[in-house]
Amino acid sequence: MALRITRAADPIKVERLNVTIYAAPGLGKTSLAFTADAPLLLDFDSGAHRAVNRKDAVRVTDWSDVAGITAEDLAPFKTVIVDTAGRALDVLTPDIIRANPKHGRGGALTLQGYGELKTRFTAFLKLLNSFGKDVVLLAHMDEQRSGDDVLERLDMQGGSKNEVFKASDAMGRIVLQNGQRRLLFSPTDAAFGKNPGQLPPLDIPHMTDANFDGFLGRVIQQTKDALNAQTEAQKEAADEQAWFRSVLPGIDDADGINELLDRAKKAGKATSKLVADRAKALGLAFDKASGAYVERIQDAA
């Protein structure tokens, strides 16, 4: 079977995202998550009742409550929220030990058990992704000290934490700055983050503000729009370069080159270089005063 290569000029349509949001206790992770587009909360943390804007939820006390989730179950929803990812691992742990007692000892996982935890949680994320929904993973923040510095980490057990990092398309944290809750996606020396949409720090509206409803849904859509705009811009730039490559060999004088200068400038540096290389091959010189190429004056014999 031939290798299926996605060319640089081929747009990659981003239709769904995995978004991880973490924060210290009490900053409204669940309430924020409920502002996603048509959300369903998988409530592993037993905290849905504390959200000020509670939407539909599944109260999870045993892994069997979610193990059989289907596309039909999620048909009315556009976003699936795992609240919290760390607590989901805690609920999955006894199910792993029940399935294979060798994976546990005294109620705790063995080294093999942690490997199984990572495998099964990753499989669960892939299952949720297969339904085509946006997935929001909530996590508690764990503060760790490195000398005098305080580092922010996800409060999760085992190697599954690394799987969350890898699976996340975007990762943000809720912070409180001068009484204002803010959502930050860019990483720092002390905090994790992924910001593919290049979003600035975002002020989270107060929960009584009309703009609070739908806030996270708009943030996720902004990220998708930014990613899709990048791929579309890449396609347009590649199409322009392809056009210039096809046209330039047929240009054989300064007038022909000069007619292309404005279009080449708009297309970017790579395309402008194609024009400059063709002008050089034709023996033309660039006249800075006129901003155009001219015939090079030959040295007198």
Side-chain angles (χ1 to χ4, degrees):
M1 181 180 294
L3 191 63
R4 298 174 61 183
I5 299 174
T6 300
R7 301 296 179 184
D10 296 336
I12 300 175
K13 182 70 173 178
V14 178
E15 297 180 340
R16 55 156 309 281
L17 293 176
N18 287 338
V19 179
T20 297
I21 296 176
Y22 70 97
L27 290 183
K29 295 185 294 294
T30 304
S31 295
L32 177 67
F34 272 135
T35 67
D37 193 11
L40 175 68
L41 184 88
L42 304 183
D43 186 15
F44 292 92
D45 216 32
S46 300
H49 62 283
R50 295 192 294 267
V52 298
N53 54 338
R54 181 170 63 85
K55 305 289 177 61
D56 292 351
V58 177
R59 304 192 71 181
V60 184
T61 57
D62 188 271
W63 192 254
S64 61
D65 294 334
V66 294
I69 196 168
T70 67
E72 289 73 23
D73 294 328
L74 299 180
F77 307 100
K78 296 181 180 179
T79 309
V80 181
I81 305 161
V82 178
D83 186 11
T84 59
R87 181 56 182 151
L89 294 173
D90 294 341
V91 173
L92 178 55
T93 294
D95 191 73
I96 290 172
I97 297 174
R98 279 196 301 267
N100 187 344
K102 292 182 180 180
H103 286 154
R105 183 179 297 113
L109 292 172
T110 61
L111 188 60
Q112 286 182 326
Y114 277 113
E116 182 68 8
L117 180 70
K118 174 182 174 181
T119 298
R120 287 190 56 183
F121 186 70
T122 302
F124 181 65
L125 284 181
K126 289 180 179 179
L127 175 64
L128 294 181
N129 292 164
S130 72
F131 298 135
K133 314 293 182 179
D134 290 320
V135 175
V136 175
L137 302 172
L138 300 183
H140 295 297
M141 185 184 75
D142 179 30
E143 290 189 352
Q144 300 178 6
R145 289 198 170 272
S146 176
D148 294 332
D149 298 325
V150 177
L151 307 179
E152 298 178 3
R153 296 294 183 260
L154 303 188
D155 187 6
M156 297 175 61
Q157 62 168 307
S160 303
K161 182 186 304 184
N162 293 328
E163 296 306 310
V164 169
F165 295 150
K166 290 187 288 186
S168 298
D169 299 300
M171 178 178 288
R173 61 199 181 279
I174 304 172
V175 301
L176 190 64
Q177 296 177 339
N178 299 319
Q180 171 65 54
R181 289 190 309 149
R182 309 189 86 191
L183 182 59
L184 312 179
F185 284 97
S186 294
T188 69
D189 291 340
F192 289 118
K194 285 186 181 181
N195 192 8
Q198 298 301 301
L199 301 181
L202 303 170
D203 289 344
I204 301 173
H206 191 273
M207 295 175 186
T208 59
D209 192 314
N211 290 326
F212 183 62
D213 189 36
F215 174 78
L216 185 57
R218 294 191 294 273
V219 170
I220 293 174
Q221 189 59 52
Q222 283 179 324
T223 301
K224 291 178 187 176
D225 291 344
L227 291 173
N228 287 326
Q230 290 174 15
T231 58
E232 187 60 35
Q234 287 176 329
K235 182 179 185 306
E236 291 175 0
D239 287 346
E240 275 291 85
Q241 289 180 31
W243 184 85
F244 273 88
R245 286 192 178 96
S246 68
V247 169
L248 284 171
I251 304 296
D252 56 9
D253 58 23
D255 288 342
I257 291 292
N258 291 331
E259 287 178 2
L260 299 177
L261 290 182
D262 286 343
R263 180 169 175 174
K265 184 177 180 180
K266 293 177 182 178
K269 292 183 179 180
T271 303
S272 294
K273 186 177 185 305
L274 293 176
V275 175
D277 289 346
R278 179 57 181 166
K280 182 178 179 180
L282 293 173
L284 304 177
F286 187 74
D287 178 43
K288 291 183 179 180
S290 64
Y293 282 95
V294 297
E295 299 291 339
R296 191 182 298 275
I297 299 175
Q298 300 296 326
D299 295 333

